[in-house]
Amino acid sequence: MPIATPEAYAQMLDRAKSEAFAYPAINVTSSQTLNAALRGFAEAGSDGIVQVSTGGAEYLSGSTVKNMVLGAEALAEYAHHVAKAYPVTIALHTDHCPADKLDTYIRPLIAISKERVAAGREPLFQSHMWDGSAVELEENLKIAEELLADATAAKIVLEVEIGVVGGEEDGVVGAIDEKLYTTPGDMWRTAEVLGSGEKGRYLLAATFGNVHGVYKPGNVKLRPTILREGQDHVAQKLGLPAGSKPFDLVFHGGSGSDLSEIRETLDYGVVKMNVDTDTQYSFTRPIVDHVFKNYDGVLKVDGEVGAKKAYDPRTYGKLAESGMAARVAQACEDLRSAGRSLSRA
């Protein structure tokens, strides 16, 4: 299957919300981690989302080039080709972009997609995230409204975040305090400014105790009911039937969360969950195992010649890809997307 068209992406999101499951959104930093993500989705029979952060895009361009747009564009073009080999539908997304990087990341990428659409082609990415968690709500929504108009013109879905995800990711640091919990009032204000679909489709990352980084199970204090309360409040304000879920929600900072809490959020309208820390580890762990078991082969110890097959990047790269793919497939099971690919509908 090719990369999702705007229509297929909309179908993916609609189906996830109506059937109470979510797509893992896997951060990638190379062609190999992209291949691992695609393999994991295919093995699970799940559609999915592949995303690249500002730091990931910079790294993709080359460690001395450090051009975020170049890196993201190259990754997306590569994905548009290799995804054709897999029997699942994949959406491309850019992760956390703070205010100081809008002009050097999201806006240029939206412009590229506008040019593609004007030429009768599909957009380069299917969605982009504006991370306004570090600015006040009104400024956040003002910028979001402008970006939503541009994204909609390019047939792209915008992701916005209100509230703060604690911890650190790609230099964006969120304090662990009361701002970790989005209020129903904040969610209603979002609907007032951005609409409920008439101004363009957007995903909402509302926070309910989320924290980026590495935590043992039980250390993350989530309150998933905040999502239900916010959805109910906005539905009531809009005059929608009880139980309606007006927002397509996103779950950030899920490492260390209990599976029961993760699945509870799916019932409240979460359609996308970011997975990064766990897949990073699952990619790196097999490489370390290989090095420890083949120390004399990987290194030319005491003047010896080593073993070429041991230090050939393809040898340990395949192991890393396999390890990460298994973790992606597990995420699909956890989020109930496994076996639900559009190709199987």
Side-chain angles (χ1 to χ4, degrees):
M1 295 288 288
I3 294 297
T5 63
E7 294 76 19
Y9 193 32
Q11 188 179 356
M12 284 171 59
L13 299 175
D14 289 341
R15 187 177 179 204
K17 189 156 68 172
S18 66
E19 298 181 19
F21 68 91
Y23 298 104
I26 308 299
N27 282 70
V28 300
T29 55
S30 65
S31 60
Q32 185 142 41
T33 51
L34 168 66
N35 288 332
L38 295 175
R39 174 179 167 181
F41 285 127
E43 290 178 351
S46 171
D47 299 325
I49 300 170
V50 170
Q51 60 188 24
V52 56
S53 65
T54 55
E58 184 179 89
Y59 178 77
L60 276 158
S61 74
S63 59
T64 60
V65 177
K66 298 183 178 181
N67 184 315
M68 294 181 290
V69 173
L70 178 63
E73 186 178 12
L75 184 281
E77 291 286 6
Y78 180 76
H80 274 268
H81 290 286
V82 296
K84 298 174 186 176
Y86 295 88
V88 291
T89 304
I90 301 297
L92 301 178
H93 177 80
T94 59
D95 201 10
H96 293 273
C97 180
D100 64 341
K101 294 180 180 178
L102 283 174
D103 290 337
T104 54
Y105 195 48
I106 283 186
R107 288 191 173 115
L109 288 173
I110 291 176
I112 289 171
S113 285
K114 278 186 176 180
E115 291 178 4
R116 289 169 63 101
V117 170
R121 303 172 65 195
E122 301 294 351
L124 185 62
F125 283 83
Q126 285 63 60
S127 51
H128 293 297
M129 181 192 177
W130 148 235
D131 183 354
S133 60
V135 301
E136 292 302 317
L137 181 62
E138 290 303 317
E139 181 183 356
N140 181 350
L141 295 177
K142 180 181 178 182
I143 294 172
E145 187 175 24
E146 296 169 355
L147 290 171
L148 181 59
D150 288 338
T152 301
K155 297 185 178 181
I156 295 169
V157 175
L158 182 70
E159 179 182 332
V160 300
E161 182 171 48
I162 58 173
V164 176
V165 176
E168 186 271 335
E169 182 174 45
D170 267 355
V172 178
V173 180
I176 299 178
D177 56 26
E178 72 281 353
K179 292 184 179 179
L180 294 180
Y181 304 97
T182 300
T183 68
D186 290 342
M187 292 178 74
W188 169 239
R189 182 58 184 153
T190 300
E192 282 188 306
V193 175
L194 302 185
S196 53
E198 71 278 5
K199 294 184 178 182
R201 187 162 196 165
Y202 61 94
L203 306 171
L204 177 63
T207 55
F208 51 102
N210 322 52
V211 178
H212 287 134
V214 183
Y215 296 89
K216 292 182 179 180
N219 284 4
V220 178
K221 307 301 181 183
L222 297 179
R223 289 165 52 191
T225 53
I226 283 178
L227 301 180
R228 183 192 64 202
E229 292 163 2
Q231 293 273 43
D232 288 347
H233 179 70
V234 174
Q236 183 182 37
K237 287 279 193 178
L238 293 173
L240 299 175
S244 296
K245 295 175 282 190
F247 290 116
D248 298 329
L249 297 177
V250 180
F251 186 162
H252 285 248
S255 297
S257 302
D258 291 333
L259 181 58
S260 61
E261 291 179 323
I262 291 173
R263 288 187 168 168
E264 183 182 353
T265 70
L266 308 183
D267 297 327
Y268 303 150
V270 166
V271 298
K272 171 181 179 281
M273 178 176 172
N274 291 9
V275 183
D276 186 17
T277 301
D278 292 349
T279 47
Q280 285 178 342
Y281 180 79
S282 65
F283 185 85
T284 303
R285 181 64 180 81
I287 298 175
V288 175
D289 185 62
H290 172 76
V291 171
F292 282 171
K293 289 179 178 178
N294 299 277
Y295 185 82
D296 290 346
V298 172
L299 299 179
K300 298 180 179 181
V301 178
D302 295 332
E304 294 297 326
V305 296
K308 184 178 184 300
K309 288 186 178 180
Y311 58 76
D312 184 334
R314 292 172 294 183
T315 300
Y316 54 81
K318 290 175 183 177
L319 299 172
E321 180 182 314
S322 180
M324 180 172 167
R327 183 62 184 85
V328 171
Q330 179 190 328
C332 295
E333 293 287 346
D334 291 347
L335 297 178
R336 303 196 290 234
S337 70
R340 295 177 183 263
S341 172
L342 294 177
S343 64
R344 301 186 180 193

